[in-house]
Amino acid sequence: MNVTNVTNDIYQLSVNVEDILFEGLWEIPNGVSLNSYIIKGEKTAIVDGVCGWDGVPESLFALLDKLNIAPESIEYLIINHMEPDHSGWIEDFKKINSNFKVVCSKKSAELLEAFYGHTENIIHVTDKDTLDLGKGHILKFVEIPNVHWPDTIATFDTLTGTLFSCDAFGSFGRATSSNYDDMLSKEEIDFYEKEAVRYYSNIVAAFSMPVKKAIQKCSDLPIKIVAPGHGIVWRKNPNKIIEDYSRYASYQKGPAQEEITIIWGSMYGMTEKAVQHAIDVLEKEKIKVHVHRVPETSWGTILASAWTSTGIILAMPTYEYKMFPPLAAVLEELGKKKVQNRKAFRFGSYGWSGGAQKELDEIISKYCMNWDFLEPVEFKGRPEPKDLELITEKLRTLVGEVRELTNE
Ligand SMILES: Cc1cc2nc3c(=O)[nH]c(=O)nc-3n(C[C@H](O)[C@H](O)[C@H](O)COP(=O)(O)O)c2cc1C
Ligand SMILES: [Fe+2]
Ligand SMILES: [Fe+2]
């Protein structure tokens, strides 16, 4: 639980959440912060709420107490996005403060009614609206629908150039009291960059087109600080996270980075022998490789490396005339997140008839993934030297293709 000063009259309240699956699904090995912001003009506004899975709003009230702000004195509750990780505390807040106004999009208002039955004192805002808090803090609103829900807006403080961007420009990773890019070492920034990729690929990836539009829209604003709803605040170099997000959005349709992700599964070690061989070959080729075994590795981890990889290798045996099931499940998820236009290669073992390849083709086609596959290498039982030689040849071709695309 931290309270920190962002800039003049603006404070961040943040709470870390750990040991849960985010959205009930995504593993967060390094936790995630839920960030809320207080803007103290002549009137006080709170942007998004610190809420989550750890018994807040008690945490929020304790943080407000540290700032000597009585919850009753908060006049505006700005809801950039109604998802309960940001607004789940409103019902408790109402018990303490009955006089606040909610500032949100029309869509958020509909959701507020549906989720919490809250209908009173709502000010709907659009791109055209501003809100004057006094002391020069005139807030402007920017509709950025579908980053991440259809209701999303960003709030911009024109005095300080602070963009409260909610899920946009967010990252996983627990917050410390140094939750600002200017207070972090290069290694720490690298850590949050990895957490941003993980957050982007798991939470925002499917909405990459809306992300691009949002970035375009925000480019008209004189942004000095990016203050997201999760992760660190970008005060020294706000453009870094905006440019990173722009790149992440472009990875959806590829090409991504000069990297290859191997996703593999094996029951009795036959496919595994060929995977081991493939790792050795790729090591000699000196290309960055991520290797994930299923079902042991979580979807979130696999998705994060598939998102940044231009090349993907799928290795799995046939199982009951189809693909090894956990690989099919992961591939479906990559399809839903629209991991498209990858250079790809598949190999694997079978016993008598095969069948994995057929299901693989079906999934790729069902989600319009448009992966460009090299001819697959399938072997009966264990891989013979001739199979491994063929795999070597295909891998070299794949590396060449990935390099060509990413060095254009
Ligand atoms: C539960 C189970 C189901 C299988 N179903 C098929 C099948 O439908 N068609 C086929 O050709 N082989 C099938 N096989 C055989 C495997 O594909 C074969 O044993 C292969 O070598 C396993 O590779 P692995 O050691 O990498 O798991 C099946 C094996 C198991 C254990
Ligand atoms: Fe969200
Ligand atoms: Fe969120």
Side-chain angles (χ1 to χ4, degrees), residues 263-265 294-295 314-317 323-332 363:
I263 313 169
W264 70 281
V294 287
L314 304 173
M316 88 300 286
M323 253 200 270
F324 184 54
L327 226 144
V330 167
L331 192 59
E332 292 251 0
I363 294 174

Side-chain angles (χ1 to χ4, degrees), residues 205-395:
F207 310 102
S208 290
M209 285 305 284
V211 166
K212 282 186 192 175
K213 282 191 192 148
I215 291 174
Q216 187 59 40
K217 233 171 152 176
C218 291
S219 68
D220 297 337
L221 300 170
I223 297 171
K224 293 201 185 111
I225 300 173
V226 173
H230 306 284
I232 62 173
V233 174
W234 301 84
R235 205 158 53 173
K236 182 170 142 198
N237 188 1
N239 281 336
K240 172 169 165 53
I241 191 68
I242 297 173
E243 282 161 15
D244 283 352
Y245 259 59
S246 185
R247 258 188 318 116
Y248 304 154
S250 77
Y251 293 166
Q252 184 178 62
K253 294 201 185 309
Q257 293 172 186
E258 193 182 301
E259 294 172 14
I260 292 178
T261 290
I262 305 180
I263 313 169
W264 70 281
S266 178
M267 297 177 282
Y268 294 109
M270 301 302 123
T271 306
E272 186 174 5
K273 286 183 205 291
V275 170
Q276 209 43 62
H277 172 78
I279 294 169
D280 294 345
V281 171
L282 293 172
E283 226 163 63
K284 287 196 190 99
E285 293 292 323
K286 299 200 182 334
I287 188 155
K288 184 168 177 186
V289 181
H290 310 271
V291 184
H292 300 303
R293 182 174 193 168
V294 287
E296 286 83 350
T297 314
S298 74
W299 286 4
T301 300
I302 296 171
L303 190 49
S305 44
W307 196 261
T308 58
S309 293
T310 298
I312 299 194
I313 294 169
L314 304 173
M316 88 300 286
T318 291
Y319 181 101
E320 295 175 358
Y321 303 96
K322 297 205 181 294
M323 253 200 270
F324 184 54
L327 226 144
V330 167
L331 192 59
E332 292 251 0
E333 190 53 33
L334 298 188
K336 289 175 192 167
K337 296 291 189 205
K338 306 190 179 81
V339 179
Q340 295 172 346
N341 302 319
R342 287 341 195 226
K343 292 288 176 191
F345 172 48
R346 183 243 153 185
F347 58 85
S349 178
Y350 67 99
W352 53 91
S353 59
Q357 187 62 38
K358 184 167 175 288
E359 191 187 14
L360 169 57
D361 294 340
E362 284 164 5
I363 294 174
I364 296 291
S365 148
K366 176 173 158 193
Y367 293 102
C368 303
M369 293 161 83
N370 195 34
W371 288 11
D372 180 17
F373 276 91
L374 295 165
E375 190 73 21
V377 176
E378 293 201 283
F379 41 89
K380 193 165 178 164
R382 65 187 178 188
E384 296 295 338
K386 67 169 177 28
D387 302 313
L388 298 178
E389 268 166 42
L390 201 50
I391 287 173
T392 305
E393 194 186 295
K394 301 285 177 199
L395 291 172

Side-chain angles (χ1 to χ4, degrees), residues 71-86:
E72 307 86 286
S73 69
I74 294 178
E75 199 146 332
Y76 297 105
L77 165 50
I78 298 170
I79 297 185
N80 279 326
H81 162 40
M82 206 292 315
E83 191 168 4
D85 59 331
H86 304 284

Side-chain angles (χ1 to χ4, degrees), residues 23 81 83 85-86 148-149 167 199 203 230:
E23 293 183 346
H81 162 40
E83 191 168 4
D85 59 331
H86 304 284
H148 146 235
W149 282 11
D167 282 349
Y199 175 84
I203 310 300
H230 306 284

Side-chain angles (χ1 to χ4, degrees), residues 37 54 72 81 89 101 128 131-132 138 156 165 179 200 202 210-211 220 230 234 236 288 329 343 349 377 400 406:
Y37 297 91
D54 71 335
E72 307 86 286
H81 162 40
W89 58 297
K101 297 180 190 70
K128 297 188 183 72
L131 176 69
D132 190 350
I138 295 171
F156 183 67
S165 56
N179 203 30
Y200 186 94
N202 291 193
V211 166
D220 297 337
H230 306 284
W234 301 84
K236 182 170 142 198
K288 184 168 177 186
K343 292 288 176 191
S349 178
V377 176
T406 49

Side-chain angles (χ1 to χ4, degrees), residues 16-22 26-32 53 174:
N16 289 326
V17 177
E18 320 210 17
D19 305 323
I20 58 142
L21 294 174
F22 198 77
W26 307 107
E27 184 194 32
I28 40 171
N30 298 310
V32 61
W53 297 261
R174 63 184 73 81

